[in-house]
Every structure is written in structure tokens, then in C-alpha cells.
Amino acid sequence: MSSNVPHSINGCTRGEFLLLLGILRIYRIPTKISRNALFAKVRLFLERMMGMGFFKVLPIAFGIFFLAHLDACVMYLIGRQSGFTGWAAIWPQFKESSMYQIYTWTLFQALGNIFPMSFKPQTAPEQAIAIIFIVVGAVLYAAFVGYVSSAAMSINPSGRLYNQKIEELIDYVKWKNLGEETKEKLISYYETKYRGKFFEEDTLLTDMNESLREEIALHNTQRLIEKVPFLQRYEADGRDEIFYHRIASVLHARYFIPGDFIIKQGDSGNEMYFILSGKVNVFVNGTKVVSLYDGAYIGEVSLITRHLRTATVMAVLPSVLYKLTRHDFQAVIDEFPDMKSRIDKLARDAERMVRQAEERS
């Protein structure tokens, strides 16, 4: 049976023509690769290491290489049809070169044509093909530069924002003409709060649904809540976990650097603190009585009563604490009558002990 494909088309053999048609199927490669399980694992690994924009660059880079390869092949094909007019003048060793050497030379020239003009087309067909590849190459190159910029921006974005924030802070210190000691305190505060990564936890949590917020909040604070006796709830009525979630959701992180006063003796207070990390010293009448570390809590008396602070607490190391205000606490226990009854009893007992202490003095 005879074939409908001619043996020669404008100097191109049947095999070469079929090969050119086959090249058009290369567009299916990205789809096939994306379905590969190993490729998916490598992609996830590299995105974690280098950012989300990394894999946006690869297809464009591959497209530029393929365009250059196609340009080199078409350049050779058109040149062969015209008898390679003028090629020897540009490359004196052309006639003695092997096919591999010719391919590498045309590929190099093709890459040059994507950017500045490297190969000077000698005939009208060569010039027309060169114009097409230059225009397409310019578009691909612009996309490549854009995606490279995007990839660079996606690498450690929170780290870049942190550095930007520190630079803004230093400019602010200069503008306010603050002292070097204050500057060091401010930088120490930002280092304690952000630890080299700038993000606002409260803002992120606000964007999440209530279930996610409570889950994340409890993950950060559960072991702190469990150490406070009057916050324990074991009613086994299916609401114990709900209570802990409610308490965790109203805790707010606060950051202190060495020398910061967390509470002062004699102040009116309406919140307690849970120490997530760091070290604080407790003073009564100016005398240090104890040092507290991770997992401890302070200010619980002021949370359940309206008495003035009985001690001063100062941060000794960079410290992260969670604050629970009386307003938020009362809003939570209003949903749990058993807990409200227990706290009210604790408040009455505390009031009675304070009055007895005052009477003895």
C-alpha cells in the first residue's frame, strides 16, 4: 500500500518530515511528568526548600531551551535548503564539522538569537524564521524573568519581612533620636516576639474558622492551662474539652525582655499570666522571693478577686507569656455554671483570707 506522504518536501526527506511532526507531540510531556508520583514528591520537597515559585520557573526554562533547540534545527533545515549560503563566511570550519559540532554551533547561535542578534540570517527564509523565533524568545524570556523574580520573592518571605521590619525600627529609633540602650531593648523585643520570622499570629488566627483557631490555641497552651488547679474540669459531661478550648481561645501572647516589669506590687490588676518560655523573678516589698520558669503562672489572685497586686514580677530572660483577662475569663465561665460556682467560692475564700490577714496586722 502506498503512502500519502511524499518522499521529499522542499528538500526535506520523508523521515525528517515525520520527525518534525513527531516533535509537536512534545507538548504532552509536562502533563505526563506531572502525573508521576516521584516527580510529585520531588516537587513538594523543593517547594519546601526553595519556595512555591521555584516550579513556576522550570517550565519557562525548559520552554526556552526547547525553543532554542527547535530554532537550531529549523535554522539548519532552512540553511540546507539554500545550500548554507554565507555560513562558511561566519564559521570557516563549517564544511569540515561533524553533525554534532554543527548542532552545538546552531544551538549556540539560536540562544544568541533569543536575546541579542548572534547569527546573521543570509536568506529571506532564514530571516523570516529568525524574526519569529526572536519574538517568541523575547516573550518567553520576559516570562522567565518574571517567574524568577516571583520565585526569589517566595523564598523565606517571613524572613525578608522581619529584616524589613528591623530596618524600619532602626529608622524609627533614629527619627525619634532614642538612646542606644532603648534601641537594643527594642531590637531584643522584636527578636523575642518574631524570632527572625515576621507574622502577626492574631491576624492569621482571625482569618481561620473557629474550629481551627481553637485547635491551634489549645496546642500552644494546653500544658499551661492543665497546671492551674482552679482551671481543671472533670465533669465527664462531654464539655470538659470544650471548656479548655474556650480558655485557650481567649489567651493572648505577650513578650517581655530582661528588665521589663510584667506586674507591679500595689497595682490594680485584672489578668493572670502563663509562662510559656523564659524566666521571671518575683519580688515582695523589694525582696526577691522566687524565680519562675516555663509552665508557671502568676497573677491568679487578681484574676478572681479585685485586690491589688501583692508582688512585683520582672522578666530576667526573654520571655513569652500568655495573658488571660478577667473579662475574657468571666465570659468563658458564664457558659459553665459549675466552673462559675467554683470560681465564686474561691473568690469568697480569698476575700476572707485577705480580711483575716489585715485584721492580724
Side-chain angles (χ1 to χ4, degrees):
M1 177 181 269
S2 61
S3 172
N4 293 327
V5 181
H7 289 280
S8 178
I9 301 176
N10 292 331
C12 178
T13 67
R14 173 183 172 182
E16 291 170 339
F17 179 75
L18 293 175
L19 182 60
L20 285 174
L21 290 179
I23 289 177
L24 298 178
R25 299 171 61 187
I26 199 170
Y27 78 92
R28 299 169 59 185
I29 290 179
T31 302
K32 291 185 176 294
I33 292 178
S34 64
R35 295 174 180 172
N36 184 275
L38 178 61
F39 173 81
K41 291 181 180 179
V42 172
R43 175 176 182 172
L44 289 174
F45 172 76
L46 291 178
E47 283 182 349
R48 285 196 298 266
M49 296 293 293
M50 306 185 69
M52 292 295 293
F54 178 73
F55 264 85
K56 295 180 180 179
V57 175
L58 287 184
I60 304 298
F62 176 77
I64 290 176
F65 175 80
F66 175 71
L67 179 69
H69 166 75
L70 189 61
D71 188 8
C73 295
V74 173
M75 187 191 307
Y76 176 81
L77 182 62
I78 299 298
R80 190 180 68 177
Q81 290 181 338
S82 64
F84 298 109
T85 302
W87 283 44
I90 300 174
W91 186 21
Q93 296 82 20
F94 169 71
K95 293 183 179 180
E96 294 80 20
S97 300
S98 65
M99 183 57 68
Y100 170 74
Q101 291 173 321
I102 293 175
Y103 171 75
T104 55
W105 183 79
T106 53
L107 181 63
F108 179 76
Q109 302 302 322
L111 285 171
N113 284 345
I114 291 177
F115 306 107
M117 179 63 71
S118 176
F119 176 71
K120 306 298 181 183
Q122 303 298 313
T123 64
E126 289 178 353
Q127 293 169 354
I129 292 297
I131 290 173
I132 293 173
F133 278 102
I134 288 172
V135 172
V136 176
V139 173
L140 281 176
Y141 178 65
F144 179 75
V145 171
Y147 278 120
V148 166
S149 300
S150 175
M153 294 290 289
S154 69
I155 297 175
N156 193 23
S158 57
R160 289 186 296 99
L161 288 174
Y162 172 77
N163 291 331
Q164 179 181 342
K165 199 73 176 178
I166 291 297
E167 290 175 1
E168 292 178 0
L169 176 64
I170 293 175
D171 288 341
Y172 174 77
V173 169
K174 292 178 180 178
W175 179 67
K176 296 291 289 185
N177 197 27
L178 300 177
E180 192 67 25
E181 182 178 354
T182 304
K183 173 185 173 182
E184 293 301 323
K185 285 183 177 181
L186 288 171
I187 293 176
S188 177
Y189 173 82
Y190 272 76
E191 289 175 346
T192 301
K193 182 175 182 179
Y194 296 112
R195 292 174 290 177
K197 304 287 185 180
F198 178 77
F199 58 87
E200 293 291 356
E201 184 179 25
D202 289 341
T203 303
L204 291 175
L205 291 175
T206 301
D207 291 336
M208 301 177 190
N209 60 50
E210 185 176 356
S211 177
L212 283 174
R213 285 199 300 270
E214 290 182 350
E215 180 179 344
I216 293 172
L218 190 63
H219 171 76
N220 291 336
T221 60
Q222 182 171 7
R223 68 179 183 85
L224 301 176
I225 297 172
E226 290 174 347
K227 292 185 177 182
V228 183
F230 66 81
L231 292 181
Q232 302 305 302
R233 189 178 193 275
Y234 302 108
E235 297 298 319
D237 57 356
R239 303 190 72 208
D240 293 343
E241 195 69 18
I242 296 175
F243 174 75
Y244 294 131
H245 277 97
R246 291 287 191 273
I247 292 293
S249 66
V250 295
L251 296 180
H252 299 281
R254 294 295 180 263
Y255 307 89
F256 300 91
I257 61 174
D260 281 350
F261 289 100
I262 302 169
I263 60 178
K264 289 184 177 181
Q265 185 174 354
D267 276 353
S268 58
N270 62 356
E271 66 274 321
M272 71 174 294
Y273 292 89
F274 304 81
I275 303 176
L276 178 66
S277 63
K279 175 185 177 182
V280 302
N281 285 341
V282 180
F283 299 86
V284 175
N285 298 325
T287 303
K288 176 185 171 183
V289 294
V290 70
S291 294
L292 301 176
Y293 301 86
D294 304 5
Y297 54 91
I298 54 177
E300 66 278 9
V301 174
S302 293
L303 181 71
I304 60 178
T305 70
R306 297 186 180 276
H307 285 288
L308 301 179
R309 299 289 192 187
T310 58
T312 295
V313 180
M314 184 180 69
V316 181
L317 297 175
S319 303
V320 181
L321 289 78
Y322 278 94
K323 182 174 76 171
L324 174 62
T325 67
R326 182 187 299 126
H327 176 270
D328 290 335
F329 182 56
Q330 290 296 331
V332 172
I333 64 176
D334 283 345
E335 301 179 31
F336 301 86
D338 58 298
M339 293 300 297
K340 184 172 180 60
S341 175
R342 184 196 302 178
I343 297 303
D344 288 344
K345 182 178 183 302
L346 286 174
R348 289 193 298 270
D349 292 344
E351 292 282 358
R352 185 175 63 255
M353 292 175 62
V354 169
R355 284 197 301 269
Q356 290 174 354
E358 290 175 349
E359 289 172 359
R360 285 196 299 268
S361 62

